[in-house]
Amino acid sequence: MTVSTQTTSFRPSRRSVLAGSAAATGAFTFGFAIPFGDEAAAQAPNPEINAWVVIQPDDKVVIRIARSEMGQGTLTGLAQLVAEELQCDWSKVTTEYPTPGQNVARNRVWGNFSTGGSRGIRESHEYVRKGGAAARMMLIQAAANEWKVPASECLAENGVITHKASGRSLRYGQVAAAATKVEAPKEVPLKDPKTWTIAGKPLARLDTADKTTGKKIYGMDLKLPGMLNAAIRDCPVFGGKVKSFDAAKIKDMPGVKHVLPVGDSAVTVVAETWWQAKTALDALPIVWDEGQHAKVSSASIAEWLKEGLDAQSAVVGNQNGDVKAAIANAARTVEAVYSYPYQNHACMETMNATALYTPEKCEVWTPTQNGEAALAAASEASGLPVAKCEAYKIDLGGGFGRRGAVHDWVRQVVAIAKQIPGTPVKLIWSREEDMLHGRFHPVTQCKLTGALDKDGNLTGLAMRISGQSIVAGIFPQNIRDGKDPVVFQGLNAPGPEASIGYTIPNLLIDHAMRNPHVPPGFWRGVNLNQNAIYLESFMDELAHAAGKDPLEFRRALMKDHPKHLAVLNAAAERAEWGKPLPAGVFRGICQTMGFGSYVAAVAEVSVSAEGKLKIHRIVAATDCGHAVNPAQIERQVEGSFVYGLSAALHGEITIKDGRVEQENFDTYPVLRMDEMPKVETVIVASGGFWGGVGEPTIAVAAPAVLNAIFAATGKRIRSLPLKNADLKRA
Amino acid sequence: MAKLNVNGKTIDIVVADDTPLLWAIREQIGLTGTKYGCGVAQCGACTVHIDGVATRSCALPVSGVTPEQKIVTIEGLSPDGMHAIQQAWIKHEVPQCGFCQSGMIMAAAALLQANPKPSEADIASEMTNICRCGTYNRVKAAILDVAAGGTLGRG
């Protein structure tokens, strides 16, 4: 199951088609199934030292990566962690993905495949480092056995084992086969991160070159022998069904092979090429049974959520003191209502998958953030047990949460493949299908009430969130006592995850769940995005109401939250908060904590008299504890502002007649280069913990800018996105 | 039927006249480096050069291209991946997921061909391709690097 060019395949014909691309990436495993016993490993030409490390006779090191690569750099970061402990030569490192089916077959030796929640590194760092360390110990032991000396007298460095006393040395490749027979160590100590030489360094990514030549194969590019191509249309109204379709009208169109139902809500056209399939599908008359939601609109949803803002019943997420009394006794209260729209992930690569079904086996190739979930979806949709299914992961053209929890497109492609057994079929969603059938960043509204004493100190805060629960939509079994804990991201009581950074004597944060029919999804940053906008904009409102500097107002509440405070200070310091700016330029500041990391940002903006916003500069600080690859962290922070500012400035999915109104980038605009500010990243990396990087910074993009807009214009924007706001001077 | 000149080779393909050039390149010619992102010339993932001009191939029917017009895709930008822009992309580690980068690179190469010393404002107004991972600032830095070095065409 090692790199495709080196191993025996059960399916040589298919392999030969893909081998060119697979060999080029060196990180692409599919279609293979070899026995995994120790004996087999030892006899293989490329010895597997353990599940994480294969060392070839020429010293090439193959590191197995369980998590998915979608641009975030996890592939490189995880390889660095293994290589650090393995003490190998980094220049000889390549990577490969074990398949989900292999993970199941080997009792989940690679752990969780899920790549979401910024967990790629923070959740697996310990066991992957132990994998590298254990392999190093076994290699050393193998050399020691050969020399008949104690292992404790041998050292490994840069892929070479030396016995100091005798001056002998052996390369890893020379002892790899013997090392596979060494018993795995029971105690595997790890290095002190302070001594790292590979991890913690801004090393170049392992996967850049093929992304500059067009050689890299994405799911959309996959081609299997005899493969047909499918386009699909699902009922535009969520929950609706297909009543009928007139296949006769299109069956003679060029290339058309099949016109098929997919479940009870969708129709597919399968043709020789995808363009033929799409063209025929566009011409296919379909009658929909739109179901019970055909009258729902954004306005009706907003009304429902508004009712929740004052509803009696709500689930408490964080509470201390007596907020009612604090508000009743306040010298002054401030109240505001915020709202946040639906948004689409809009990955550049639309949803797609390729499947081959026979009554004996169901195989799926797909870009996925969770290979095991893709495998489970294939099993469920095919009706075959997991052992008769396999999923092959392909690097993603964007994920952002869309390709993680729900594998709706995998179920579809399997449902299609099952109707044409023995023929591989590739399903590609059009951009329109992708826009209409997202799993949307959910709608919420928030009512905040703050109590200030006569000196402008915050004595109480009530925060009522009304709106949709992602967990209720996707994992309803995880709702306990009516509570979706994800709704309170960034607002939790003090702790290691998503905790609020302020001590407020009287606090009540609760949630009135209102679940419209629009399917929600985990969207890069998840609820932290909305919550940071609500809380951090409102903190700004309170500071101004109290006549205090927004930074000083926050600092006064953050004494017991040193990590939150440190990143806030780091951002403020780099941005020279308080120092004069060029005429017309204004600052906004904010902070939050989520996905195990602490983040803060300062935005510098100007707003013209006509209301045109320009974001000049962003300073962003992040403390993710241990920084595994600072260069990739910088890129994730920069990218977070593209994603977060796209959402803040433009991102809005609206509902009319039960369906999404936006169909493409012309009606769902995203940030382009002309709106992109300079981003300066401050990596605090205080050590001692492992925080995520891909998501937390998204959440500070919008509030920093919104607070700067208030500083510039005196206008408080409480309803997103900004494209709907009039920033013209009154 | 269509006759296309792609990456220096004349290729006859059997395809309906209204097939977008993008899909002819991907499905008939088999070059998949050029990507589908939107189908309405919004995102630029499908950018190719036609007689040196960056063109969004998803909204251009093959019937709109003559056999004489020279189409260059990402696969034909350089024989070895060593075009100055490609080298700068690697040096600056521009790509994240990479899906939009073929189009981004083709747009950048055409921009520099037309304007070897673009200002930051030129780049911002000319480079309208969409990237969702957020590589814009690295794209800009890489283009400025090539412009400063003046290596285009000699790289």
Side-chain angles (χ1 to χ4, degrees), chain A residues 209 212-213 215, chain B residues 75 77-87 90:
Chain A
T212 67
T213 59
K215 277 190 193 147
Chain B
E75 292 89 348
L77 183 64
S78 65
D80 51 3
M82 295 301 272
H83 185 284
I85 277 285
Q86 289 167 314
Q87 290 185 57
I90 289 170

Side-chain angles (χ1 to χ4, degrees), chain A residues 22-272:
Chain A
T25 64
F28 197 96
T29 304
F30 56 88
F32 308 124
I34 62 166
F36 286 102
D38 290 337
E39 205 175 321
Q43 287 166 358
N46 306 311
E48 174 185 301
I49 312 299
N50 61 28
W52 301 98
V53 176
V54 173
I55 296 191
Q56 300 177 355
D58 64 356
D59 295 330
K60 193 161 131 191
V61 177
V62 182
I63 293 176
R64 304 244 176 83
I65 305 292
R67 309 283 171 152
S68 298
E69 176 60 50
M70 49 191 158
Q72 83 279 38
T74 290
L75 178 85
T76 303
L78 287 170
Q80 283 178 263
L81 288 172
V82 175
E84 177 66 52
E85 297 290 344
L86 183 59
Q87 298 269 81
C88 64
D89 179 349
W90 178 250
S91 71
K92 297 203 163 73
V93 168
T94 60
T95 59
E96 68 175 17
Y97 299 126
T99 68
Q102 289 162 350
N103 200 34
V104 172
R106 291 182 69 173
N107 201 21
R108 298 194 83 215
V109 66
W110 290 286
N112 192 352
F113 275 39
S114 174
T115 314
S118 300
R119 286 179 309 212
I121 283 174
R122 69 185 171 119
E123 198 180 80
S124 58
H125 63 86
E126 184 165 351
Y127 57 76
V128 304
R129 284 187 295 152
K130 284 191 170 168
R136 182 197 71 234
M137 293 164 76
M138 291 161 75
L139 289 157
I140 290 175
Q141 186 65 55
N145 291 350
E146 185 161 330
W147 295 327
K148 299 190 171 50
V149 300
S152 58
E153 291 179 9
C154 303
L155 268 179
E157 201 171 5
N158 217 27
V160 179
I161 304 153
T162 51
H163 180 239
K164 276 208 169 160
S166 63
R168 285 174 292 187
S169 68
L170 283 166
R171 290 177 292 102
Y172 276 6
Q174 294 172 297
V175 294
T180 62
K181 294 171 187 138
V182 170
E183 196 181 340
K186 290 190 176 60
E187 296 291 320
V188 183
L190 295 175
K191 287 181 171 182
D192 181 341
K194 290 191 185 76
T195 67
W196 283 350
T197 58
I198 296 172
K201 305 299 172 197
L203 302 184
R205 294 176 67 116
L206 296 169
D207 56 351
T208 296
D210 285 347
K211 294 175 181 173
T212 67
T213 59
K215 277 190 193 147
K216 188 172 178 65
I217 296 295
Y218 296 86
M220 195 181 280
D221 307 327
L222 205 71
K223 190 167 184 186
L224 301 182
M227 185 184 82
L228 296 175
N229 290 274
I232 195 163
R233 180 151 302 147
D234 203 347
C235 182
V237 181
F238 306 109
K241 292 177 178 167
V242 176
K243 200 181 271 176
S244 65
F245 58 91
D246 188 358
K249 281 269 194 322
I250 62 162
K251 70 177 175 44
D252 295 329
M253 287 180 71
V256 172
K257 299 283 186 190
H258 309 277
V259 186
L260 304 167
V262 183
D264 59 6
S265 70
V267 185
T268 186
V269 175
V270 181
E272 287 170 15

Side-chain angles (χ1 to χ4, degrees), chain A residues 70-71 205 211-212 218 220-221 273-275 345-346 431 635-636 638-639 642-643 664 671-672 676-677, chain B residues 20 23 26-27 32 35-38 40 42 86 92-93 96-99 128 132-134 136-139:
Chain A
M70 49 191 158
R205 294 176 67 116
K211 294 175 181 173
T212 67
Y218 296 86
M220 195 181 280
D221 307 327
T273 71
W274 186 79
W275 184 254
H345 298 81
R431 174 58 63 190
R635 283 163 176 78
Q636 285 304 294
E638 283 173 25
V642 177
Y643 215 67
N664 212 314
L671 198 85
R672 297 181 197 246
M676 182 66 192
Chain B
W23 290 101
R26 287 180 58 85
E27 300 198 297
T32 55
K35 302 303 186 199
Y36 166 73
C38 70
V40 294
Q42 275 282 322
Q86 289 167 314
H92 289 267
E93 288 203 286
Q96 288 189 25
C97 88
F99 191 83
T128 57
R132 294 288 286 148
C133 295
Y136 295 136
N137 288 350
R138 306 279 163 172
V139 167

Side-chain angles (χ1 to χ4, degrees), chain A residues 436-518:
Chain A
L436 293 178
H437 289 285
R439 289 293 181 271
F440 300 91
H441 201 7
V443 279
T444 58
Q445 296 182 11
C446 184
K447 182 175 188 174
L448 301 108
T449 309
L452 296 168
D453 68 14
K454 62 180 173 39
D455 300 318
N457 299 307
L458 184 63
T459 55
L461 176 70
M463 187 169 178
R464 162 65 62 85
I465 298 165
S466 172
Q468 193 158 8
S469 157
I470 304 168
V471 175
I474 296 180
F475 302 121
Q477 67 276 20
N478 293 349
I479 299 284
R480 301 267 153 74
D481 300 324
K483 182 174 176 177
D484 172 1
V486 177
V487 163
F488 299 102
Q489 272 185 325
L491 306 172
N492 293 324
E497 182 50 41
S499 68
I500 193 166
Y502 306 110
T503 300
I504 301 167
N506 301 286
L507 179 73
L508 174 62
I509 302 173
D510 57 11
H511 175 217
M513 195 186 289
R514 299 289 183 271
N515 294 325
H517 77 298
V518 179

Side-chain angles (χ1 to χ4, degrees), chain A residues 44 96 112 127 177 186-187 224 295 379 430 577 592 660 711 723:
Chain A
E96 68 175 17
N112 192 352
Y127 57 76
K186 290 190 176 60
E187 296 291 320
L224 301 182
K295 290 200 165 66
S379 170
S430 66
W577 183 266
T592 192
V660 167
K723 70 174 179 182

Side-chain angles (χ1 to χ4, degrees), chain A residues 325-622:
Chain A
I327 290 168
N329 298 327
R332 182 172 176 194
T333 59
V334 179
E335 188 177 294
V337 172
Y338 285 78
S339 68
Y340 199 86
Y342 282 115
Q343 290 165 332
N344 190 301
H345 298 81
C347 304
M348 286 310 298
E349 181 190 20
T350 57
M351 299 305 111
N352 67 81
T354 301
L356 172 58
Y357 172 91
T358 66
E360 293 76 41
K361 179 133 192 169
C362 179
E363 295 171 283
V364 170
W365 293 255
T366 194
T368 171
Q369 291 176 243
N370 187 345
E372 289 186 303
L375 178 65
S379 170
E380 285 171 29
S382 67
L384 294 175
V386 167
K388 290 188 170 186
C389 298
E390 185 57 290
Y392 308 109
K393 301 194 303 178
I394 306 173
D395 286 349
L396 297 76
F400 313 122
R402 178 65 182 90
R403 291 182 154 112
V406 183
H407 284 78
D408 41 340
W409 71 95
V410 170
R411 291 169 200 279
Q412 288 177 343
V413 77
V414 171
I416 298 166
K418 203 175 171 180
Q419 297 179 73
I420 46 172
T423 301
V425 60
K426 177 167 69 177
L427 170 68
I428 301 175
W429 285 16
S430 66
R431 174 58 63 190
E432 289 77 12
E433 191 68 13
D434 200 275
M435 205 58 87
L436 293 178
H437 289 285
R439 289 293 181 271
F440 300 91
H441 201 7
V443 279
T444 58
Q445 296 182 11
C446 184
K447 182 175 188 174
L448 301 108
T449 309
L452 296 168
D453 68 14
K454 62 180 173 39
D455 300 318
N457 299 307
L458 184 63
T459 55
L461 176 70
M463 187 169 178
R464 162 65 62 85
I465 298 165
S466 172
Q468 193 158 8
S469 157
I470 304 168
V471 175
I474 296 180
F475 302 121
Q477 67 276 20
N478 293 349
I479 299 284
R480 301 267 153 74
D481 300 324
K483 182 174 176 177
D484 172 1
V486 177
V487 163
F488 299 102
Q489 272 185 325
L491 306 172
N492 293 324
E497 182 50 41
S499 68
I500 193 166
Y502 306 110
T503 300
I504 301 167
N506 301 286
L507 179 73
L508 174 62
I509 302 173
D510 57 11
H511 175 217
M513 195 186 289
R514 299 289 183 271
N515 294 325
H517 77 298
V518 179
F522 297 98
W523 193 100
R524 191 176 178 189
V526 197
N527 284 73
L528 192 67
N529 297 338
Q530 295 99 320
N531 292 344
I533 289 171
Y534 303 152
L535 181 62
E536 288 301 292
S537 293
F538 194 65
M539 292 302 283
D540 212 66
E541 294 202 48
L542 290 166
H544 286 283
K548 296 185 180 182
D549 173 82
L551 173 60
E552 293 308 326
F553 183 80
R554 285 178 172 79
R555 280 175 172 162
L557 300 166
M558 296 176 73
K559 294 187 183 76
D560 300 331
H561 307 274
K563 289 195 171 83
H564 293 78
L565 181 59
V567 289
L568 181 68
N569 285 337
E573 195 175 306
R574 172 69 72 86
E576 300 189 300
W577 183 266
K579 288 199 180 164
L581 282 165
V585 180
F586 296 85
R587 291 190 186 96
I589 193 166
C590 65
Q591 64 83 26
T592 192
M593 190 247 172
F595 307 96
S597 290
Y598 303 82
V599 290
V602 174
E604 296 175 3
V605 315
S606 59
V607 180
S608 73
E610 295 75 38
K612 174 102 176 122
L613 169 71
K614 182 169 173 59
I615 307 167
H616 298 268
R617 177 189 183 216
I618 301 276
V619 173
T622 184

Side-chain angles (χ1 to χ4, degrees), chain B residues 51-70:
Chain B
D51 290 338
V53 178
T55 306
R56 292 184 177 176
S57 63
C58 73
L60 175 68
V62 290
S63 59
V65 187
T66 69
E68 292 74 36
Q69 286 183 301
K70 291 188 171 55

